[in-house]
Structure formats: C-alpha cells, structure tokens
Amino acid sequence: MQILDGKLAAQAIKDGLKLEVAQLAANGKEVPHLVAILVGNNGASETYVAAKVKACEEVGFKSTLIRFEASISAFKLLDTIRDLNGDPEVDGILVQLPLPDHISAEEVINCIDPAKDVDGFHPSTVGKLVLGQPTYIPATPYGIMLLLEYYKIETKGKHAVVIGRSNIVGRPMSVLLSGSGNYGNATVTICHSHTKNLKEICATADIIVAALGRPGFVKEDMVKEGAVIIDVGITRIDDSSKKSGYRLSGDVDFAAVAPKASFITPVPGGVGPMTIAALMKNTFKACALKHYDGFLIQN
Ligand code: NAP
C-alpha cells in the first residue's frame, strides 16, 4: 500500500507555479490576483479561506479577503461580485460556501463572471466541462485528477465508483473520470443516498472516490484487494484531547481499509492540499488568459 501524499504533490504544483509567477513578474506583467469572499464566521470556512490566502502568498499571487457579517443582504453581496467582475485587476473570484440561509448560493455562483470562476461552479463552466471543452475544473475534482497524474495511477478501462453526487465534488468527478481526457476513460458508477447494494458495487471498484461526508463510511468489506482509495470527506469530530477541540475524519475507515488498498489518501494531507493547489492553478490560468490574448484555458 502506498499513501497518496497530497501535501507532497501540492507542493510540487505550487513550486511550479511560483516559477511561472516569477517569470510573469520578470516580464513586467501583473501577477495573478485572487479575491475570496467570506460571509459569516463558520469555523471550517475560516480555516479553508485562510489556507487559500496562505497558498496565494506562497506562490506569489496577490490575494484579497473580503469579509461580510452573516447578516449581509444578498443584494450587497451580488453588488460586490459585480464590481469584482468589472475590475481588471481581479483574476479570480471565489465565494466560500456554505452561505447563510437567506442567500441563494445558486444566485451568487451565477453572478460570478465565468472568466473569473476559478472555483469552477458557474453553469457555463460546468456545461463546458461536461462537453469536454477547455474550462476551469472545480478545484476538488481537479486536485484529485492532479494527484492521480502525480502518482501516474492508470484509470483507463478501470471501474471507478464515486460515492456522492454533489455539484462541487461527486458529479464533476464522475464526468472527469468517464471523460476521454488524461486520467479519464474509466467506467464510472456514481452512488448516492438512494443507491441500492452500495457495498457490493464498491467491492467491484478498482478506484473508489468517497465524497459523502460520513466519517468512516467506507469499510474494509466494501473494498476490493488492490483498489485505489480517494477519500474526499472532511468532518470535524469533537475531541477534547486536541487543542482545537476537534479532529478531522475522512469518509474512509483508514486503519481497516489501508492494508487492502494499493494507494490511499490520508485525511488530512490527501485531497485537501490538492484542492488548494488546483485552485491556484485555476487562478493562474485566469491571469494568463487575461495577459495572452486568445490563450485557451486547457483542461
Ligand atoms: P454534499 O453536498 O453533502 O453531498 C454528499 C453526497 O453524498 C450527496 O450526493 C448524498 O446523496 C451522498 N450521500 C450522503 N449519505 C450517503 C450514504 N449513506 N450513501 C450514499 N451516498 C450518500 O457533500 P460535498 O460537498 O460533496 O462534500 C462531501 C464531503 O467532502 C464532505 O465531508 C466535505 O467536507 C468534503 N469536502 C472536502 C473537500 C476537500 O478539499 N478535501 C472539498 C469539498 C468537500 P444525495 O444526493 O442522495 O443526498
């Protein structure tokens, strides 16, 4: 069994980006600028946004964090996004989800200029992804594809089971793995809360991507010997022995499953860092698109 070390792979990607940013700067070009919007003070969202801002610093991007109280009106938030859409100094815009109940995430996502949609959630971005056209790939599935590429894990002709069909993880993941691009060409089964015989389906998988948000859900008896296991889940579990008061748990029972797996991602240190590295790549593309007329965003 080999650990798929997301920290290591993410660092390699960030190191590459750092060089490219230095080259942009040396050519007198503006460096990529990511704007993150955080509404309210959800603990997990605070952590994710802080990690994104830190990654921008690491690779030499400019970043701006805009914070709003949870009580902000949808009108004000949308107005801010429209201003950022029109600001030539902003390359990428991300609005950290979840949003307070009174604000429609759909409306907010739809408001972001697709050219600056570095999270890859806009309907136009998703449509292009499904059609196999060049576009931004949602950061988490993109990060997983980059991890498969880093470790040269063959997907062609394999049976991949994706557990979870969310718009940000499971569904785009199934599109990428079943697509004809690099690290695609798998036969994909997508499972959700109404799937019957999920255990039996998983047991036939060469690759399992678990993205359901149920700690330790994937057990040893659901996994074929030699399967590749990608654990996307991140759930905070109360733990008084930790300074933070919680520990992070993935969707896979790591201790039981790892001995059967050929490759497995840890939580933390697997998909999480790759998601951030992928966001950095998308932001770099957004900036390159602006600098080089006609530059195509490549998948
Ligand atoms: P989500 O929107 O809540 O979607 C969960 C999906 O799992 C849904 O499609 C749901 O089915 C399915 N599901 C739930 N219980 C199930 C069960 N018992 N059996 C089969 N399917 C089940 O979650 P998400 O946003 O995709 O996130 C999933 C997990 O990944 C969370 O832990 C989240 O924190 C984590 N995450 C991590 C990263 C990262 O960077 N590592 C990024 C994003 C998310 P239905 O559609 O039928 O309800």
Side-chain angles (χ1 to χ4, degrees):
M1 180 274 296
Q2 186 178 352
I3 296 283
L4 298 172
D5 186 340
K7 276 193 200 162
L8 190 74
Q11 195 57 54
I13 290 166
K14 287 187 285 182
D15 288 347
L17 283 173
K18 203 171 166 177
L19 291 176
E20 294 199 70
V21 173
Q23 217 163 16
L24 275 184
N27 289 334
K29 310 265 189 204
E30 282 166 29
V31 300
H33 180 194
L34 176 68
V35 176
I37 300 179
L38 181 58
V39 180
N41 51 8
N42 174 295
S45 294
E46 293 270 0
T47 308
Y48 297 144
V49 168
K52 291 167 188 176
V53 168
K54 184 167 165 269
C56 283
E57 279 166 21
E58 268 182 71
V59 296
F61 292 0
K62 190 176 165 195
S63 69
T64 304
L65 173 56
I66 301 178
R67 287 173 171 275
F68 289 116
E69 297 288 324
S71 58
I72 185 184
S73 68
F75 180 83
K76 169 78 180 144
L77 180 57
L78 294 171
D79 219 32
T80 303
I81 294 171
R82 284 188 206 104
D83 282 349
L84 295 169
N85 285 344
D87 184 342
E89 290 186 5
V90 172
D91 298 303
I93 303 167
L94 78 82
V95 180
Q96 187 65 42
L97 301 178
L99 290 166
D101 290 345
H102 68 280
I103 300 177
S104 154
E106 195 176 299
E107 205 178 346
V108 167
I109 289 166
N110 291 358
C111 182
I112 296 172
D113 177 352
K116 300 187 179 188
D117 176 35
V118 289
D119 253 342
F121 297 162
H122 191 281
S124 143
T125 312
V126 177
K128 286 182 178 173
L129 183 77
V130 171
L131 294 171
Q133 295 177 12
T135 188
Y136 300 112
I137 305 172
T140 299
Y142 188 18
I144 294 170
M145 297 305 278
L146 292 168
L147 191 62
L148 294 173
E149 184 182 352
Y150 186 80
Y151 282 96
K152 300 193 167 36
I153 293 176
E154 186 60 75
T155 53
K156 197 193 308 180
K158 301 284 161 99
H159 179 210
V161 171
V162 178
I163 317 175
R165 58 176 168 183
S166 73
N167 290 339
I168 64 169
V169 188
R171 197 171 294 283
M173 194 68 237
S174 69
V175 169
L176 291 165
L177 285 170
S178 62
S180 57
N182 289 340
Y183 298 91
N185 292 307
T187 303
V188 179
T189 305
I190 182 156
C191 300
H192 45 75
S193 65
H194 300 279
T195 298
K196 291 197 169 72
N197 307 322
L198 191 139
K199 183 172 149 184
E200 288 75 14
I201 293 169
C202 287
T204 68
D206 302 305
I207 300 165
I208 295 179
V209 180
L212 67 161
R214 303 272 181 274
F217 181 88
V218 177
K219 306 276 185 222
E220 181 197 358
D221 60 356
M222 295 166 72
V223 173
K224 189 168 85 173
E225 199 71 45
V228 175
I229 309 294
I230 309 290
D231 189 351
V232 184
I234 306 179
T235 305
R236 288 183 173 200
I237 311 244
D238 290 342
D239 186 340
S240 55
S241 72
K242 300 278 178 200
K243 209 170 109 193
S244 60
Y246 66 85
R247 66 189 155 83
L248 297 179
S249 173
D251 288 343
V252 176
D253 181 348
F254 185 91
V257 169
K260 281 183 95 173
S262 54
F263 295 92
I264 186 165
T265 59
V267 176
V271 174
M274 292 307 294
T275 296
I276 292 175
L279 173 71
M280 296 300 113
K281 275 183 82 82
N282 278 344
T283 306
F284 186 84
K285 281 176 194 167
C287 178
L289 179 64
K290 186 176 74 179
H291 285 315
Y292 303 106
D293 216 17
F295 176 92
L296 268 187
I297 307 167
Q298 296 300 332
N299 279 348

